[in-house]
Amino acid sequence: PAFTVAAALGRTVAPRERILENLWPDRDPEESKGIFQRLFSWLRQSLEPYMSPRGPFRHFATAGEALCFDPADTVRVDVEVFEETVRRWLTKQPLHLEALEALADASPAVALLPGTPYELWLIPHQERLRAIYTEAAHALAEAYLAADDYTS
């Protein structure tokens, strides 16, 4: 659950109220606030064990009631790596089959937080990743057809 908090934050500044509503829409706001404080504390201690509990933080930025995860863009997330790699592949012409075949190895990244498939805040991100995966798979199929390679 704590890493879901980080995923919910993304690299954009988000008001704490919106984060709480996204993660626990059916809970009492005060209960959500307590859960969030415990999870944020655990997450901060996990990622920054030697930093002061009051900050400054390397992986979080706080501004009043707003938070941002990884404002310096130092954390590499498998989903982001997948998206960057596929976009880079798709801009190269001709497509290199070996590079696109790595798509099969990267496909688990498409299942963004699979344990929470119907969280409203998560659906647009999941759809974006599925669309990228589909576009890359389509490009791979076209590259195979152009190479007259029907065996792979």
Side-chain angles (χ1 to χ4, degrees):
F3 290 106
T4 304
V5 171
L9 288 172
R11 287 186 176 82
T12 60
V13 176
R16 187 182 314 252
E17 188 175 284
R18 189 182 90 209
I19 297 166
L20 298 178
E21 182 62 30
N22 284 345
L23 293 173
W24 303 287
D26 298 328
R27 296 214 184 220
D28 175 68
E30 286 302 312
E31 182 183 3
S32 297
K33 187 175 180 179
I35 293 169
F36 179 80
Q37 287 173 336
R38 288 189 300 278
L39 287 175
F40 182 73
S41 176
W42 179 87
L43 184 61
R44 185 198 49 75
Q45 289 171 4
S46 296
L47 293 174
E48 303 181 352
Y50 303 108
M51 301 299 280
S52 163
R54 301 213 187 284
F57 307 120
R58 290 178 294 181
H59 298 299
F60 298 96
T62 58
E65 288 292 307
L67 295 165
C68 178
F69 174 68
D70 193 28
D73 196 22
T74 57
V75 176
R76 302 307 305 152
V77 180
D78 62 347
V79 170
E80 292 172 347
V81 171
F82 166 78
E83 188 171 353
E84 290 166 7
T85 302
V86 169
R87 292 210 183 277
R88 189 173 55 251
W89 291 341
L90 291 173
T91 60
K92 293 182 180 178
Q93 295 297 328
L95 294 173
H96 296 283
L97 296 180
E98 297 80 21
L100 287 174
E101 286 170 344
L103 178 67
D105 295 333
S107 63
V110 177
L112 177 63
L113 298 173
T116 55
Y118 301 110
E119 296 290 338
L120 290 179
W121 66 269
L122 186 56
I123 291 172
H125 302 288
Q126 291 171 326
E127 291 300 316
R128 187 187 77 249
L129 288 173
R130 286 186 191 111
I132 293 167
Y133 181 82
T134 302
E135 182 181 355
H138 183 82
L140 177 59
E142 286 183 350
Y144 277 129
L145 287 172
D148 286 331
D149 181 355
Y150 306 104
T151 61
S152 297

